[in-house]
Amino acid sequence: MKDRPRLVVAANHPAVAASLLRRLADEAGDRPEAEIVTSQPALRARLRDMRPAPLLLLDRGLQGLEPGGGMAHLRVQAPGLRIVALARTEDGAEELGLLRSGANAALPWSASPALVSRVLGIVASGTGYMSAAALLAAAAAARTSAVAAPAVPRDPPRPIEPLTERERDILAHIRRDESNRRIGDALGIDENRVKIHLHAIFRKTGARNRMEAELRAAPRSPQVAATAREAPAVAA
């Protein structure tokens, strides 16, 4: 573990911390130089005196460590602190929770000494580490969040403003796919007047063209069709 910050092993009991160090020694071939603390208050007191900040191998069950914000408080106290946290289970969700609480890396307690040693080196160099299990847990959480997220409310549909009798006449001719000129001839108005009525129909229905106007407007009734056929040829 040469060229790394000083290692601090924090666990609930000296025997637990010693077990962690033995596992690392089996991997490295010699016992790494490390300091052991067995409670969160003791860890806080030690961090106040250590400069530069150490590399911390933290047992998730450390007595007195608040699950939600303990690691964040440690970082405030010791800027530059690097933390590798050990989860009690092999559940990627627990590892993800440790990362979100402030750990630079999270591993299960059952991780091999080789992996723990390698991740300690990665974190000591200033890089974070996320296991495949934690990545899968993060992806599952993102999917769940997307499903649970409330739908964005949409604007209520705009009520259609009633069409005038002349506009209904023109709409009836539109349904027969007649040109503006032919509609004007049938109704006895000029083509420009037909265009003015068409713009009004588009505005009232929210349509962008004849086809949309036909679809958005109320279905043609027999009365509308009769009106179109019998409309007097007078100017609008």
Side-chain angles (χ1 to χ4, degrees):
M1 302 185 69
K2 296 179 180 179
D3 302 323
R4 293 183 184 176
R6 181 173 178 82
L7 177 64
V8 173
V9 178
N12 266 348
H13 194 279
V16 176
S19 173
L20 288 172
L21 287 176
R22 280 196 301 273
R23 291 168 62 188
L24 293 175
D26 291 341
E27 170 64 22
D30 59 351
R31 185 182 179 88
E33 182 181 353
E35 186 171 339
I36 292 174
V37 293
T38 56
S39 72
Q40 191 252 18
L43 177 59
R44 281 178 174 273
R46 191 67 192 94
L47 289 177
R48 279 195 294 268
D49 302 326
M50 298 187 73
R51 295 293 183 274
L55 174 63
L56 176 62
L57 180 59
L58 176 66
D59 174 17
R60 171 67 177 81
L62 180 68
Q63 181 181 1
L65 185 72
E66 301 89 345
M71 283 183 281
H73 292 312
L74 293 177
R75 288 188 178 287
V76 171
Q77 182 177 349
L81 179 68
R82 312 292 295 173
I83 303 174
V84 176
L86 295 178
R88 288 302 182 92
T89 69
E90 295 186 2
D91 183 1
E94 185 183 357
E95 294 179 38
L96 181 61
L98 290 171
L99 293 170
R100 288 174 171 172
S101 295
N104 299 100
L107 294 169
W109 179 268
S110 59
S112 68
L115 179 58
V116 175
S117 180
R118 185 161 66 251
V119 170
L120 283 171
I122 290 171
V123 171
S125 69
T127 306
Y129 173 86
M130 193 173 190
S131 70
L135 284 169
L136 290 173
R143 287 194 299 270
T144 302
S145 176
V147 170
V152 177
R154 296 183 177 182
D155 293 333
R158 185 178 64 180
I160 297 177
E161 184 180 341
L163 302 179
T164 66
E165 183 177 353
R166 178 47 56 89
E167 289 163 357
R168 292 197 302 271
D169 294 343
I170 290 176
L171 188 60
H173 286 281
I174 288 175
R175 290 191 175 101
R176 293 197 289 269
D177 198 25
E178 296 180 1
S179 67
N180 291 350
R181 177 176 295 181
R182 187 162 183 174
I183 293 173
D185 291 342
L187 298 180
I189 59 177
D190 61 44
E191 190 174 349
N192 287 333
R193 177 62 62 177
V194 174
K195 291 179 180 178
I196 291 172
H197 286 305
L198 279 174
H199 285 305
I201 293 171
F202 293 162
R203 175 179 59 79
K204 291 179 179 181
T205 61
R208 293 169 295 181
N209 52 50
R210 285 170 165 241
M211 183 177 294
E212 283 191 11
E214 181 180 348
L215 293 173
R216 288 170 179 263
R220 181 174 58 173
S221 65
Q223 290 80 4
V224 173
T227 301
R229 289 194 301 270
E230 301 169 6
V234 294

